Amino acid sequence: METIFLKLLNMSITASYLVILIVLLRAIFSKAPRGMYCCLWSMVALRLLLPFSLESMLSLIPSTEPVPSEIIYTEISVITPGSTIAGQAVSPPAAQSLAPAVGASVNPMQILVAAASWIWILGMAIMVLHALISYLKIRKRTSEAVPGDGYFSCDHIETPFILGTLRPKIFLPSDMDAQDQFYVLAHEQAHLSRKDNLWKPLGYLLLTVYWFNPILWMAYVFFCRDIELACDEKVIRTLGSSSKKAYSQALIHCSAPKHLVAACPLAFGEVGVKKRIQTILHYRAPGFWVIVIAAVLCVLAAVCFLTDPREESRPGSVPGSTNETDGSISLIVENPAPSRVTVRFLQSGETPDQVCYLRPGYSLEQETADGWVRLNPEQRYDEGLLDPIDFNWYRQDSNGMMLAWENIPPLGEGHYRIGMDITIEDTDQQQENRRIYGEFALPPAKSQNGKLPLNAIPETYSQEEADLDGCFVISEGRVSHGLDLWTAFQDKLSRRESASLRLCKAAVLGDMTPVDEIYDIDYDGTVFTVTWFSDNQLKSMDYPYLIHDMGRQPEAGYYDQWEKWILAKSQSSLEELEAGSQPYLAIYENRSHTPTGLPFQENAVKVRLEFEGTTYVEITDPAAIQDIAQLFRSADYCYGGIKTHNIGIRLDLIAEDSIGNFVKIELDPEYDSCRVGEDYFDYGKPDEEEYILKLWKLLGIDQWPQAVYDKYPNAY
């Protein structure tokens, strides 16, 4: 329902551009034939009825999707270069097959759009109910009407009107003057000849659907006026100018005392009587050039506002865009980088009777002056199908497919697209192959010194990007990458030569992990100048001293020994710098630690699984307890934890001995990671069966307790 509402919202916005044009033309060309404006109003109806249109270079519609449908699937409303998503080329786990319910979503836009959708449906129901009640009232008042010559005479009505859509009837007050009756019938016959008995209900129906758009309410009012003025013009052209005065008198005599329901009747004096009389008295048959100009305006309006803009690729566009090829399935490109991107599949339409399969492989193409050129022609698609695409899974913020290209140099500035083949299978097992594209742009990759400007470094920075940008990386207090850069930098320092180093300090530098800070360090032979980008501005600080400090920590902890090179304002030890207030920067850090297995309670006789203090599983079998102990004793120590931000959800495995001593292992249901005290461990290994699945087997369960999934939908 949310998808339908967003589609209609976008259609109403694109139609509003044409409405504004028509209102301006009505003010500027007041002498133009009213038939021209009726033609233009029919274009508005087409814009509101058709979910698609032809593309044209002359289209003046800014966008066919002013409100992106993806806003209900992502945490932010638009795709930006710095958006964060971790992707993996694997099928979604079974327990993630459903997206979070609206009420449990972390995306406020999903809640807002869902609420707006229900309000929209309520508004439509009110509009329909109003039309139905009004129609029944009019039917009751005309139930005793007496047939006349082409009309029905009724005692209980005060103004003439047409009632009915497929079988319209003209109703006149029984006490109407004979002369007035002549002009009224001429006017109502003009309505019937113009098929206004169909156009006006259609207009009200569209207003019922798009009632939330105030511009379309204005359009409906002007539309009703224009069809009346068009009929007035037709009557005057037929009867001649001599009938203007008598026709105006009839209009005054028969003006409606109150507004009739907008859905059905075409009342003779219902709309804008004063304006209509002025138009009738000043009416002159339009000249040849007026008709030509009116025709040209209609054609131009159709070309510029009934067509959609071409989805041209422009190299200057914002990285991360959508190219929806088949109208219902989109390929979204996020976090574009010179060597890899993350893609997500989105389904904008409801196709419950179809299954969409992804075919192996992808194409990487670049836009050139000669069109799109494929960069990986050696990659071919085979005939096999992968698992069905789970669109609900791909809509979640942390899910996507990481695509990295091999044997292709890092991409430079330009406009690119990823092409992927899908197969759609209906309930009759009929298959149709389609190709969908996701487009993205890359800005200039380097500055004049061969590095990205500090203010252009993305929020997510992969190890590969750090290598391309010439970074020396410190992660988790240890040298992570680029040791040769540090060695070369230190060698120049020893000779008091000018030297430069780009330092990246990150919690953990993974494929899509946000970095803490990036510094440019320049040495001129005397002073170290450090530059960084923070709070939307470049900052700089000079340090005259480079201090070398090292030591050991015999106590059990994160590390056994450490070494640091520190930039400081004075010659002080690390302890003095940490205890004082002067700024300093550690540009080289290296810690070492001898891993020990994850601690497990010795002589445990009972193991229980708890979530938020509630016990769900309890194991007392000695053999199973020993297997569980071995599972955790082979865990890898993480020096602070690769995924520490996911621990602390109160899913605990507690091993207890016979006298009450216990070890509590905090588990992460989303990853193979856990914590004991302040130490973090990663007990999963890429080349082995998932450790969580092993743990389930040893505990005699096949999934986490349902309460875990209720609170953490991404658990598996």
Side-chain angles (χ1 to χ4, degrees), residues 8 11-12 48-49 206-213 216-217:
L8 294 176
M11 290 171 64
S12 77
L48 295 173
L49 285 169
L206 291 174
L207 186 65
T208 299
V209 175
Y210 296 97
W211 65 266
F212 51 82
N213 189 331
L216 296 184
W217 281 90

Side-chain angles (χ1 to χ4, degrees), residues 57-131:
M57 294 289 292
L58 300 177
S59 175
L60 296 181
I61 301 294
S63 171
T64 57
E65 195 175 29
V67 182
S69 59
E70 288 74 31
I71 64 172
I72 62 175
Y73 306 128
T74 56
E75 187 173 349
I76 52 179
S77 300
V78 295
I79 302 173
T80 61
S83 57
T84 304
I85 179 172
Q88 51 187 353
V90 297
S91 299
Q96 287 183 327
S97 60
L98 295 177
V102 171
S105 174
V106 296
N107 178 6
M109 288 306 301
Q110 184 179 3
I111 300 173
L112 180 62
V113 173
S117 301
W118 284 108
I119 295 173
W120 164 59
I121 291 177
L122 178 61
M124 285 196 299
I126 293 173
M127 294 283 287
V128 171
L129 184 62
H130 169 68

